[in-house]
Amino acid sequence: MNTEIPGIILMFVAALALAIPLGKYIAKVYTQDKTWLDGIFGPVEKLFYRISGIDPTTEMNWKQHLVVMLTLNMVWFLLGMFVLMNQHWLPLNPDGNPGQSAHLAFNTSISFVVNCNLQHYSGESGVSYLSQLFLMFLQFVSAGIGMAAAAVLFTALKERTTDKLGNFYNFFLKSCTRILLPISLVVAVILVFNGTPMTLHGKDTIISLQGDTVQVSTGPAAAFVAIKHVGTNGGGFFGANAAHPFENPNYLTNITEMIAQLIIPFAIIFALGFFLKRRKFAWITFGVMTIGFLALVIPNIFMEANGNPAIAAMGIDMSSGAMEGKEVRFGAITSAFWSIVTTVISTGSVNSFHDSFMPLSGMNQLLAMMINCFYGGCGVGILNYFIFVILAVFISGLMVGRTPEFMGKKIEAREMKIAMIIALLHPFLILVGTALSTALPAYTSATLNNPGFHGFSEMLYEFTSSAANNGSGFEGLADNTPWWNISTGFVLILSRFLPIIGPIAIAGLLANKKYIPEGGGTLKTDTSTFGLMVLAVILLVAALAFFPALTLGPIAEYFSML
Amino acid sequence: MKNKNTTLFEKQLLNEALRQSFIKLDPRMMFRNPVMFAVEIGTAIMLIVCLWILSGENNQGSFGYNFVVFIVLLLTLLFANFAEAIAEARGKAQAESLRKTREETPAKKIFSVGEMYVNEIKVVPSSSLIKGDIFICEEGDIIPTDGEIIEGLATIDESAITGESAPVIREAGGDKSSVTGGTKVLSDKIKVQVTTEPGESFLDKMIALVEGASRQKTPNEIALTILLAGFTLVFIIVCVTLKPFADYANTPITIAAFISLFVCLIPTTIGGLLSAIGIAGMDRALRANVITKSGKAVETAGDIDVLLLDKTGTITIGNRKATHFYPATDVNEKAFIKSAALASMADETPEGKSIIELSHLKISDFIIATPTFIKFTAETRSSGIDFENTRIRKGATDAIRKLTERAGNIFPVEVEQKVNIISSNGGTPLVVCENEKVIGVIELQDIIKPGIQERFQRLRKMGIKTVMVTGDNPLTAKFIAEAAGVDDFIAEARPEDKMNYIKKEQSEGRLVAMMGDGTNDAPALAQADVGVAMNSGTQAAKEAGNMVDLDNDPTKLIEIVEIGKQLLMTRGTLTTFSIANDVAKYFAIIPALFIASIPALRPLNIMNLHSPESAILAAIIFNAIIIPLLIPLALKGVAYKPIGASALLRRNLLIYGLGGIIIPFAGIKIIDLFVSVFI
């Protein structure tokens, strides 16, 4: 207990300390400055570019960027479907796992392409090693896509008027090779030395203390677990995700994985500051996100540390907190911290069962994903935040008697339309998905682990997690059914690509506009007042859209428990 | 006119506005405003529910309760319509009172016979005058309509329009040739050509704009409507999905409750007041005696970065006066003064007259055979007189220098020094030459208007750069610019300099406003983002600008900028207020929806409202009456304070954001206490 709080503070501070220089480095990568890794990857990239006939120096406008992005994703999705459905006869299947059904393969392939990793299967029995390796590839490239999209945004926000916004292939490949790969390598090495398996052999056999023979799944887990966190993917190699002793053997690996998932979402904020030379704006952004994060994580720590009053009433000791669904090697507080980190940034890897958290802790996990822009996923977090900045700029610009502008560009009807659609999309997908699930008990009632309010939360969580491209589950749900696979599959596609297309389109439109130098009457966006405004807009939109749903889920459950 | 304070709700206006509130219920008109249109649909549904209950349905609550909900929603609509109607009525009344003065005044129209205009004058009603007609006005006549003097000069009392009692002189040619209908000729006789078709004067255009016939949404209004429509959509999603959620939780919700929740949540406050705010902006401009040609112009005024101001009349009082004669060495002082006076004989400008005055000579004493007067032009920038073998010119230093040097004469060094001394003291040197030889300098002095420094200070705090435009040489201009506290100046300005300056600022992304009166200002007025033409100016200038100032007051630009800022701020703050209100409304309605089925949710009823029905009624009643309560604010506008953008944002966030969260909690609780008496 006493060491738990310093432990989580250490993780947060260490991630921040690493993120600032990393942000500087990322900005350098995207400004095309030379980095020390060019010597290693440069020649390989050149070879690839020559074979494919791509010129990485051709600048693209925002539409061309989006075409490339969508085409790449389409190819990966189809490849993924093929591998997953045919894994039983493809090589690298030592455990002899069967091929996936079409609807499961659809869901799995999409969810890895979109950086969500909503897994409706267990890694031990649901996929072969070849599939795991292909999914690992998707974890790299989907994170790379998100970061490349952020790079396009950065380029568009520069103080100039242009439609040339860099080259997508270049941003994408550099994100993978210069940023994701080296960090993942370091993380994987730490994991291997702490006991995470890295092998292509099939199941191991051990004899337990009781003398029973036990089959233990292994595989190339260390590499997989590394990128799953660094790329904020969150899909577990094993079904139990980061609660599994092979994925997350001890407290040190827990620290490593925590820092690994925080570091890029943090760094990308500072990268924006370095790239645009607006470091104060970056710090204000980080501040706003951190306030939001703390507002979610602190109550959770309290609630989990205090334990469950209903169980305490039965005379069971709650001094170590609410431990149902949590690992003893991590403890209640660390798990509570992880549960919010993994939901604010869209990792979705879990080291405890979110289904077992206190009702309002569950609500905070839901809120973290409903807001989806406190840090947010790899690259895409800042895109989501950008939408709220546009809305905040518009309202606050009016409040000071000036038509709104951001970074020297006027925000007009067209930008507002796009921003509003994107802001609407998230509640739309979550609420409509959940509403359909409640309205169609024929498909859903048998899959719920709990009836009543908690069952409602399970469905709400499933769609929230899909729409936030988070991928964690309120694991009570039996979700490998055509209904869940297909409905969440479509939610995943829409909630991934529209929130990339929207901000990129706005950025592209803004980049084309005349640059207006800051004057005395301009509303500065790098002040704490403006930060507060953004925070207010974010919280208000989330509260207004989700209050009724949360009332019928976790809030009703909480008050019923009292 | 100027000091006439129309109270907010005059009886006649109220009646008209009430009538309009019902007319505006027409769905075709409502459709323009998505938020209020959604409320109208809700109201219609409630009407159907009421009828349904009357025909025997008994799961939707009592008829009385449903009927009250219907009435409150209808009132919400009427209040919103009333806000728009009262703003329109006020604007119209304001403009009508201006227009009335010129209707049905007798006009002495000149009828042409053949190719010639003979003085065949008939008195016709002013309304029959069409563009191109010519009429005459004599002492005591009211000028029947807007026009341009083509012959003669007259003193005119414009107090009916401007409220300024001092008469002004208007004459043919030049920049002061325009006359306005409704003003009165005090002396002399003028021949005037009608410049507008009946019903097409600026006032007519403005009235049409206010009435809504030709009112278009401004870009900013469109963007805001998108935001509001977006919020409306969010709440449609919330309310529609709530139905299956509630069914899952076995909580039946009545239609009345659904509609109430929806209407309360969508931003009806700003939705209902939005068009009233826009119209009120134009009204306020009109109150400041500025006619705007579009709502967009007022909005743009709030965004202005650069203000181009003429020195004369804006920064300095009226005109310069001659204060000293400095003859060149070896020129006799008396001879120099006489030459200077001769050169100014035909000069009707106040500067010219002041030279004669200072010379203490009588023009009538001069006996000159066949004089030719050389008029001042913007190109030569000198004027003078030719007679016998003498050519006298006075003008700007560089113009005279060019003239003398071209003739092979040297510009004397001591005159040069004198010129510099005068300039750096803020005076204007006027160099005089006779037969292309410099004979001396006349010093003219400017007087800076008292209080102008403070106004520029205020503009600087608003983030607006002020630029003084003057024909003076750079040294003089600099002195006055510094003394007055403007940020920049254009010296020795020719019309195209203004234009170039505006283009340059615009190419750097800034918005420029300027004021002008002359025909040669017209291109610049058209180029500027906000061009304010003086009513006394030429027709061309008035056509080119997007506002006309009836007072001919050059400092009016400052007021216009503030009106524009107020307009935007009123929109922004009421949007914030409207959305912030939703927090309290949620806490009123959500518990009301669920408490009956899920008693555990009772602690959510933090306002401790009496019953589900009273809570819902309190919320929708609050939602309705907040609209009329805010009409005065919408019409007057939120006060603008030049304290810097961030400080302003903080202030407005505190008042309208935090206030918007807190006030409805109190309001709904009070209404609930009242309503619960009846339930």
Side-chain angles (χ1 to χ4, degrees):
Chain A
M1 174 83 194
N2 294 337
T3 55
E4 278 196 276
I5 296 279
I8 57 176
I9 293 174
L10 169 85
M11 287 187 258
F12 187 88
V13 172
L16 179 59
L18 289 169
I20 296 171
L22 180 62
K24 199 168 188 173
Y25 170 77
I26 292 176
K28 221 167 127 184
V29 170
Y30 291 147
T31 36
Q32 318 300 342
D33 284 355
K34 284 222 173 313
T35 58
W36 57 279
L37 284 168
D38 288 352
I40 305 165
F41 294 108
V44 188
E45 279 171 6
K46 235 175 240 164
L47 186 71
F48 274 111
Y49 283 133
R50 189 166 309 153
I51 296 168
S52 57
I54 292 167
D55 177 8
T57 56
T58 332
E59 299 227 40
M60 300 175 175
N61 64 30
W62 65 270
K63 286 180 192 157
Q64 291 166 321
H65 275 289
L66 292 176
V67 169
V68 172
M69 192 250 324
L70 292 172
T71 315
L72 287 174
N73 278 283
M74 189 70 199
V75 173
W76 295 328
F77 161 69
L78 293 175
L79 258 175
M81 282 281 283
F82 174 79
V83 171
L84 291 167
M85 288 177 72
N86 297 290
Q87 59 185 0
H88 53 283
W89 59 265
L90 286 167
L92 288 178
N93 188 9
D95 297 336
N97 289 337
Q100 289 192 351
S101 66
H103 57 84
L104 180 59
F106 167 77
N107 187 283
T108 308
S109 186
I110 283 178
S111 96
F112 276 81
V113 164
V114 303
N115 196 263
C116 173
N117 305 10
L118 190 72
Q119 294 165 296
H120 289 173
Y121 63 90
S122 269
E124 292 89 336
S125 56
V127 282
S128 69
Y129 288 170
L130 180 74
S131 296
Q132 293 278 32
L133 289 175
F134 186 75
L135 294 178
M136 186 177 83
F137 165 76
L138 290 182
Q139 290 185 326
F140 267 104
V141 294
S142 65
I145 290 283
M147 295 185 74
V152 177
L153 175 76
F154 294 180
T155 316
L157 291 180
K158 274 189 180 170
E159 294 177 2
R160 54 178 188 165
T161 304
T162 181
D163 59 351
K164 301 250 179 298
L165 306 175
N167 183 286
F168 195 84
Y169 295 106
N170 181 40
F171 286 146
F172 163 68
L173 216 56
K174 288 251 172 80
S175 304
C176 291
T177 57
R178 306 297 195 277
I179 301 161
L180 293 168
L181 198 59
I183 301 174
S184 302
L185 207 64
V186 175
V187 174
V189 167
I190 296 174
L191 290 174
V192 165
F193 277 103
N194 283 280
T196 304
M198 189 66 202
T199 171
L200 289 178
H201 288 294
K203 286 193 176 98
D204 247 340
T205 309
I206 58 161
I207 296 167
S208 73
L209 290 175
Q210 290 163 302
D212 302 330
T213 305
V214 181
Q215 298 274 307
V216 180
S217 289
T218 60
F224 192 98
V225 173
I227 183 61
K228 132 185 171 185
H229 287 109
V230 174
T232 69
N233 293 281
F237 190 89
F238 302 108
N241 210 305
H244 193 287
F246 278 176
E247 280 209 19
N248 193 359
N250 54 37
Y251 199 81
L252 177 67
T253 58
N254 196 62
I255 293 176
T256 309
E257 288 172 18
M258 175 57 65
I259 294 173
Q261 58 183 314
L262 279 173
I263 185 167
I264 288 183
F266 278 10
I268 209 97
I269 303 165
F270 297 111
L272 172 82
F274 288 114
F275 188 88
L276 295 174
K277 302 193 173 60
R278 288 180 189 264
R279 287 160 68 174
K280 200 175 163 212
F281 179 77
W283 274 105
I284 292 290
T285 304
F286 183 78
V288 168
M289 293 175 170
T290 304
I291 291 171
F293 170 71
L294 292 177
L296 294 169
V297 81
I298 292 172
N300 271 31
I301 289 173
F302 269 104
M303 287 184 283
E304 296 311 308
N306 285 338
N308 188 331
I311 297 178
M314 295 189 286
I316 294 168
D317 177 34
M318 280 278 125
S319 62
S320 55
M323 285 304 291
E324 183 198 311
K326 297 193 182 68
E327 295 294 307
V328 181
R329 63 186 188 281
F330 305 132
I333 290 176
T334 312
S335 302
F337 180 72
W338 179 297
S339 79
I340 292 297
V341 168
T342 196
T343 45
V344 287
I345 61 176
S346 74
T347 314
S349 72
V350 291
N351 72 355
S352 54
F353 257 34
H354 289 186
D355 203 22
S356 307
F357 274 67
M358 294 290 102
L360 293 187
S361 299
M363 180 177 81
N364 282 357
Q365 293 158 4
L366 278 164
L367 269 174
M369 294 185 287
M370 286 165 172
I371 290 164
N372 205 21
C373 68
F374 291 152
Y375 312 132
C378 212
V380 291
I382 200 118
L383 297 183
N384 289 339
Y385 185 80
F386 175 64
I387 292 291
F388 287 105
V389 169
I390 296 289
L391 296 183
V393 158
F394 185 78
I395 298 174
S396 48
L398 286 183
M399 285 219 280
V400 300
R402 228 184 131 82
T403 56
E405 58 199 39
F406 177 61
M407 299 228 172
K409 304 293 174 77
K410 282 239 180 293
I411 310 289
E412 287 163 306
R414 212 161 152 210
E415 291 80 49
M416 277 307 291
K417 209 179 281 178
I418 301 172
M420 212 57 227
I421 290 172
I422 302 305
L424 269 175
L425 179 78
H426 197 53
F428 174 81
L429 292 174
I430 293 172
L431 293 176
V432 171
T434 312
L436 286 176
S437 300
T438 51
L440 301 168
Y443 296 118
T444 55
S445 62
T447 64
L448 298 181
N449 198 18
N450 303 59
F453 308 129
H454 198 77
F456 180 78
S457 300
E458 284 174 357
M459 292 188 281
L460 184 64
Y461 194 105
E462 185 71 8
F463 278 102
T464 307
S465 173
S466 305
N469 280 185
N470 181 281
S472 63
F474 223 39
E475 295 295 344
L477 200 65
D479 44 21
N480 183 15
T481 65
W483 164 257
W484 289 112
N485 282 335
I486 296 168
S487 66
T488 56
F490 281 107
V491 169
L492 287 171
I493 297 176
L494 293 174
S495 61
R496 165 70 169 186
F497 294 111
L498 292 181
I500 291 181
I501 293 171
I504 295 296
I506 296 178
L509 292 172
L510 291 184
N512 241 329
K513 290 190 186 190
K514 201 165 7 173
Y515 174 73
I516 307 159
E518 255 176 39
T522 315
L523 178 71
K524 297 214 167 30
T525 47
D526 57 0
T527 60
S528 49
T529 310
F530 182 75
L532 185 73
M533 184 73 199
V534 181
L535 187 65
V537 170
I538 293 171
L539 294 180
L540 210 60
V541 168
L544 295 182
F546 299 112
F547 187 57
L550 291 174
T551 305
L552 286 177
I555 295 176
E557 189 186 352
Y558 168 76
F559 282 119
S560 309
M561 197 178 76
L562 288 181
Chain B
M1 183 66 228
K2 194 173 198 177
N3 299 317
K4 186 180 154 204
N5 276 323
T6 330
T7 50
L8 264 182
F9 302 106
E10 263 175 31
K11 199 167 173 239
Q12 201 187 345
L13 295 185
L14 272 176
N15 287 339
E16 169 63 15
L18 278 176
R19 204 172 63 83
Q20 281 293 327
S21 326
F22 283 93
I23 294 173
K24 284 171 188 284
L25 284 177
D26 185 339
R28 283 166 299 179
M29 285 164 123
M30 270 297 182
F31 192 70
R32 278 164 58 104
N33 184 339
V35 178
M36 296 319 288
F37 186 65
V39 178
E40 187 161 46
I41 294 173
T43 314
I45 294 174
M46 279 319 296
L47 181 65
I48 295 167
V49 170
C50 288
L51 296 174
W52 190 29
I53 294 172
L54 283 182
S55 67
E57 164 66 31
N58 45 23
N59 281 329
Q60 294 295 335
S62 71
F63 172 76
Y65 163 67
N66 278 280
F67 189 69
V68 172
V69 171
F70 165 69
I71 292 295
V72 174
L73 296 188
L74 186 65
L75 278 177
T76 313
L77 284 172
L78 289 174
F79 286 153
N81 286 345
F82 179 76
E84 187 179 279
I86 191 90
E88 284 178 4
R90 272 159 49 88
K92 237 160 67 182
Q94 193 83 237
E96 292 279 5
S97 69
L98 283 177
R99 187 160 64 172
K100 244 177 213 147
T101 50
R102 65 183 70 180
E103 262 172 9
E104 302 314 320
T105 24
K108 294 174 180 168
K109 186 177 168 189
I110 302 177
F111 287 87
S112 59
V113 176
E115 294 292 301
M116 297 285 293
Y117 287 101
V118 289
N119 282 355
E120 196 180 317
I121 298 166
K122 278 185 192 165
V123 177
V124 297
S126 60
S127 54
S128 72
L129 290 173
I130 59 163
K131 194 173 173 179
D133 280 354
I134 294 170
F135 59 85
I136 60 164
C137 280
E138 289 162 308
E139 201 173 316
D141 285 349
I142 303 277
I143 296 174
T145 183
D146 292 1
E148 198 156 0
I149 304 175
I150 52 173
E151 208 181 294
L153 170 151
T155 44
I156 294 173
D157 173 12
E158 293 192 337
S159 59
I161 300 285
T162 63
E164 198 65 53
S165 57
V168 293
I169 295 175
R170 297 281 177 259
E171 59 183 316
D175 293 342
K176 304 222 179 284
S177 62
S178 234
V179 289
T180 313
T183 55
K184 190 176 176 187
V185 178
L186 294 178
S187 71
D188 302 291
K189 178 176 166 182
I190 46 173
K191 201 182 265 185
V192 181
Q193 183 162 33
V194 179
T195 48
T196 51
E197 295 287 356
E200 277 191 6
S201 71
F202 296 122
L203 266 176
D204 292 311
K205 281 183 197 158
M206 168 125 186
I207 291 169
L209 214 59
V210 167
E211 275 173 340
S214 64
R215 190 170 70 230
Q216 283 183 324
K217 283 189 175 160
T218 62
N220 182 265
E221 241 177 313
I222 293 171
L224 184 56
T225 307
I226 291 170
L227 181 85
L228 299 180
F231 274 105
T232 308
L233 276 174
V234 170
F235 295 122
I236 290 179
I237 297 168
V238 168
C239 292
V240 170
T241 55
L242 193 56
K243 168 80 179 137
F245 292 175
D247 289 347
Y248 173 87
N250 294 321
T251 314
I253 298 178
T254 61
I255 294 174
F258 264 121
I259 302 280
S260 302
L261 175 67
F262 175 64
V263 169
C264 278
L265 292 180
I266 61 175
T268 47
T269 313
I270 178 67
L273 293 172
L274 188 56
S275 52
I277 295 169
I279 301 166
M282 289 191 278
D283 285 0
R284 278 201 301 279
L286 193 55
R287 264 158 198 276
N289 270 349
V290 175
I291 299 178
T292 52
K293 294 201 212 160
S294 71
K296 189 178 176 221
V298 182
E299 198 177 286
T300 314
D303 265 353
I304 289 303
D305 303 287
V306 182
L307 215 52
L308 252 56
L309 297 163
D310 276 325
K311 184 197 77 176
T312 310
T314 314
I315 295 164
T316 59
I317 290 177
N319 302 293
R320 292 167 295 203
K321 282 202 158 164
T323 51
H324 283 103
F325 291 113
Y326 299 105
T329 33
D330 63 74
V331 173
N332 177 286
E333 184 166 3
K334 282 206 172 135
F336 167 60
I337 293 174
K338 191 181 173 194
S339 296
L342 277 171
S344 309
M345 254 176 85
D347 191 345
E348 284 297 306
T349 63
E351 286 95 338
K353 285 178 186 158
S354 76
I355 292 171
I356 308 270
E357 220 168 86
L358 188 70
S359 71
H360 302 295
L361 297 170
K362 279 199 176 141
I363 308 178
S364 48
D365 294 348
F366 299 150
I367 300 149
I368 302 158
T370 63
T372 314
F373 298 110
I374 312 298
K375 282 216 155 196
F376 178 90
T377 68
E379 293 309 314
T380 61
R381 298 173 59 234
S382 64
S383 64
I385 184 171
D386 285 2
F387 59 95
E388 293 156 18
N389 291 326
T390 318
R391 295 175 300 279
I392 309 175
R393 294 285 184 282
K394 67 176 202 303
T397 313
D398 57 330
I400 300 296
R401 182 199 303 274
K402 222 182 265 172
L403 204 68
T404 54
E405 284 177 354
R406 204 183 299 141
N409 296 325
I410 325 160
F411 198 89
V413 185
E414 82 278 359
V415 173
E416 176 110 49
Q417 282 167 346
K418 200 77 225 171
V419 161
N420 286 339
I421 291 167
I422 294 170
S423 296
S424 49
N425 288 331
T428 307
L430 214 51
V431 183
V432 184
C433 68
E434 193 169 323
N435 293 342
E436 290 80 43
K437 259 191 197 148
V438 176
I439 56 169
V441 197
I442 308 167
E443 179 176 357
L444 303 173
Q445 274 291 355
D446 267 314
I447 303 157
I448 292 171
K449 275 193 177 175
I452 199 78
Q453 286 97 334
E454 286 75 36
R455 299 205 92 168
F456 288 138
Q457 197 72 37
R458 191 173 161 87
L459 280 170
R460 194 162 305 114
K461 278 193 194 147
M462 288 160 81
I464 295 169
K465 177 178 160 192
T466 46
V467 181
M468 179 179 85
V469 183
T470 169
D472 292 344
N473 67 56
L475 270 175
T476 315
K478 186 160 183 274
F479 181 87
I480 296 171
E482 275 170 10
V486 294
D487 300 313
D488 197 4
F489 60 87
I490 313 174
E492 291 173 353
R494 291 159 303 155
E496 61 263 36
D497 291 336
K498 257 192 208 178
M499 183 77 176
N500 292 339
Y501 195 90
I502 293 174
K503 279 190 179 160
K504 192 188 107 221
E505 291 287 345
Q506 285 176 334
S507 72
E508 284 163 17
R510 297 191 186 88
L511 295 178
V512 187
M514 72 164 281
M515 199 150 192
D517 53 4
T519 301
N520 48 26
D521 281 334
L525 278 171
Q527 179 72 32
D529 300 282
V530 174
V532 185
M534 304 218 197
N535 197 41
S536 62
T538 60
Q539 190 62 25
K542 286 199 265 183
E543 291 287 351
N546 38 23
M547 293 187 191
V548 179
D549 177 23
L550 298 175
D551 291 343
N552 309 319
D553 173 10
T555 54
K556 193 60 74 64
L557 269 176
I558 299 170
E559 252 168 88
I560 294 171
V561 168
E562 293 200 354
I563 290 171
K565 286 206 179 288
Q566 277 191 328
L567 172 69
L568 293 175
M569 276 172 52
T570 312
R571 275 191 203 138
T573 49
L574 289 184
T575 305
T576 308
F577 183 82
S578 191
I579 295 170
N581 274 196
D582 282 354
V583 176
K585 291 172 188 167
Y586 257 141
F587 276 101
I589 296 187
I590 291 291
L593 294 181
F594 300 132
I595 279 179
S597 315
I598 313 169
L601 283 175
R602 201 165 290 281
L604 268 190
N605 182 10
I606 53 174
M607 283 180 273
N608 200 16
L609 301 178
H610 176 73
S611 70
E613 283 80 15
S614 75
I616 287 173
L617 284 179
I620 57 171
I621 292 174
F622 176 84
N623 190 53
I625 60 170
I626 196 74
I627 295 176
L629 289 181
L630 287 174
I631 288 177
L633 181 68
L635 296 188
K636 278 189 194 143
V638 171
Y640 176 76
K641 288 201 164 61
I643 47 175
S646 284
L648 201 58
L649 178 62
R650 246 193 321 272
R651 183 174 176 273
N652 286 337
L653 256 185
L654 201 68
I655 298 176
Y656 298 95
L658 198 61
I661 291 176
I662 295 167
I663 288 169
F665 276 105
I668 291 174
K669 178 68 191 167
I670 291 166
I671 297 171
D672 178 74
L673 288 175
F674 183 74
V675 168
S676 58
V677 175
F678 298 96
I679 290 184

